Amino acid sequence: MTAPRMSVLDPAGPQAAEIKWLWDIFLGVSIVVWVLVVGFLVTAAIVARRARKRDPEGPLTKSLATDKRRAQVVLVAGLATVATLLVLLVLSIHSGDTLAALEDDPEAVHVRIVAHQWWWEIEYEHDEPTRSAGTANELHVPVGKLVHLELLSGDVIHSFWVPSVHGKRDLIPGRTNRTWIRIDEPGVYRGQCAEFCGLEHAKMSLTVIAESPEQFDAWLKHQREPAQVPSPTDAVRSRGMQVFNGGPCVLCHTIAGTTAGGRLGPDLTHFASRATIGAGTVPNTVGHLTGWVIDAPSIKPGVHMPSIQLPADDLHALVAYLGGLQ
């Protein structure tokens, strides 16, 4: 997977482009104001210094005309400041209205995102329950298509933020917030919880993958399928499936097609297809997965997944099983 894009200055959709446009205007105005203020301060200091050199004992103000001219300059500067602030206010309201506008598209993708300490539960909704699909920590979207997001929290206040795609939107317990996104450039984008939500707030990232509509449809179709059952000839993965279903894993995790139906932790049906473990904490490799199963709190302190002590053979089998859930 390529390095994800994560910058408000690198927009990939209309919302991020609107935010950057407003940012560019504010930055330009701020630079002009700073230059003018500093220029006037330097000029005033130079004039005062020269006046002192000419007449060390004399006052800085030489005449009423000079005082009047200075008062006029201050008045003009004040009026210009008010006008500038009014223009910026109008532009801010316009951008806010643009970002808040919800487009109507019957072909839009509907996604429900629930934030937890410290991971993202993602569900692709459909009128037919059998065509819904769930995953965790990776949001796939079709390029150029509208995506409606329904945002909820399962515990504390979180904030959904993908800088290259859109601005921040809070997820508040007991309340449903909604927003929409559209990504016009294929690629990988990094999101982050932008509201302090506890010990592992910094390790609560979200990967957004924008792909062609054909690739997205194929991915979503695969997500609706149950987990791959190990071949009877694959004794190691078959044993791993038994370890999973007979141990504490089933209390927290779901794997479609098995008896595992826990809802406290991420859905693991297609776990091996994800790039990271623990919402971007570590890469999804055999070594990191083994360490995560044995002692997740040592990798991500505060995580709700407990340490699991297994015999070496069972641990090897379990990791092999999870590593095959493509």
Side-chain angles (χ1 to χ4, degrees):
M1 182 179 292
T2 59
R5 293 164 60 176
M6 187 184 182
S7 173
V8 294
L9 304 180
D10 183 22
Q15 294 96 344
E18 182 73 20
I19 293 171
K20 183 180 183 299
W21 171 79
L22 187 63
W23 154 260
D24 288 340
I25 291 177
F26 269 74
L27 178 63
V29 171
S30 299
I31 291 175
V32 171
V33 170
W34 184 86
V35 170
L36 289 176
V37 170
V38 172
F40 276 115
L41 286 174
V42 172
T43 301
I46 293 174
V47 170
R49 183 179 180 84
R50 289 177 178 175
R52 285 295 187 187
K53 285 184 177 180
R54 288 195 302 268
D55 187 4
E57 302 298 329
L60 294 178
T61 302
K62 295 299 183 181
S63 66
L64 291 177
T66 301
D67 283 344
K68 184 176 181 180
R69 187 165 58 252
R70 288 173 177 169
Q72 290 173 343
V73 170
V74 171
L75 177 61
V76 171
L79 293 175
T81 300
V82 172
T84 301
L85 291 176
L86 287 175
V87 170
L88 293 178
L89 175 62
V90 171
L91 293 176
S92 298
I93 294 173
H94 172 270
S95 292
D97 290 342
T98 301
L99 294 174
L102 184 64
E103 293 187 1
D104 185 16
D105 185 351
E107 297 184 357
V109 178
H110 292 263
V111 183
R112 182 174 182 264
I113 298 179
V114 182
H116 302 272
Q117 291 177 310
W118 292 270
W119 61 282
W120 304 89
E121 178 184 357
I122 301 171
E123 181 181 355
Y124 291 80
E125 300 180 322
H126 198 276
D127 294 336
E128 300 178 24
T130 56
R131 299 193 63 187
S132 297
T135 184
N137 303 321
E138 283 191 5
L139 175 64
H140 287 245
V141 299
V143 170
K145 286 194 174 184
L146 190 70
V147 180
H148 288 185
L149 300 179
E150 182 180 326
L151 305 173
L152 304 93
S153 172
D155 36 52
V156 300
I157 297 177
H158 299 273
S159 185
F160 176 88
W161 186 36
V162 185
S164 293
V165 177
H166 203 343
K168 303 172 185 177
R169 182 57 61 92
D170 286 346
L171 299 86
I172 302 172
R175 176 175 175 176
T176 299
N177 281 341
R178 291 178 173 83
T179 188
W180 64 277
I181 62 174
R182 193 187 79 207
I183 301 180
D184 297 328
E185 300 176 20
V188 181
Y189 304 87
R190 178 187 167 100
Q192 183 70 40
C193 178
E195 179 74 24
F196 181 73
C197 55
L199 181 61
E200 292 301 323
H201 161 71
K203 293 182 180 178
M204 186 177 170
S205 67
L206 173 71
T207 301
V208 180
I209 301 173
E211 50 203 356
S212 69
E214 295 77 18
Q215 290 175 315
F216 171 76
D217 289 340
W219 175 85
L220 187 57
K221 180 181 178 182
H222 180 64
Q223 293 299 305
R224 294 189 181 114
E225 298 174 355
Q228 182 183 12
V229 179
S231 169
T233 59
D234 191 339
V236 175
R237 292 196 65 240
S238 296
R239 174 58 185 162
M241 183 176 179
Q242 294 175 358
V243 173
F244 185 93
N245 290 327
C249 304
V250 296
L251 300 177
C252 298
H253 297 285
T254 293
I255 295 182
T258 73
T259 58
R263 301 294 296 175
L264 295 178
D267 187 315
L268 301 180
T269 302
H270 300 287
F271 165 77
S273 65
R274 301 169 197 162
T276 66
I277 300 172
T281 302
V282 292
N284 191 355
T285 63
V286 173
H288 286 111
L289 177 56
T290 303
W292 184 266
V293 171
I294 295 174
D295 192 7
S298 68
I299 299 174
K300 191 172 183 177
V303 70
H304 299 309
M305 179 171 171
S307 301
I308 300 176
Q309 302 303 315
L310 295 172
D313 291 345
D314 286 353
L315 175 62
H316 173 68
L318 177 60
V319 169
Y321 171 63
L322 293 175
L325 296 178
Q326 293 289 340

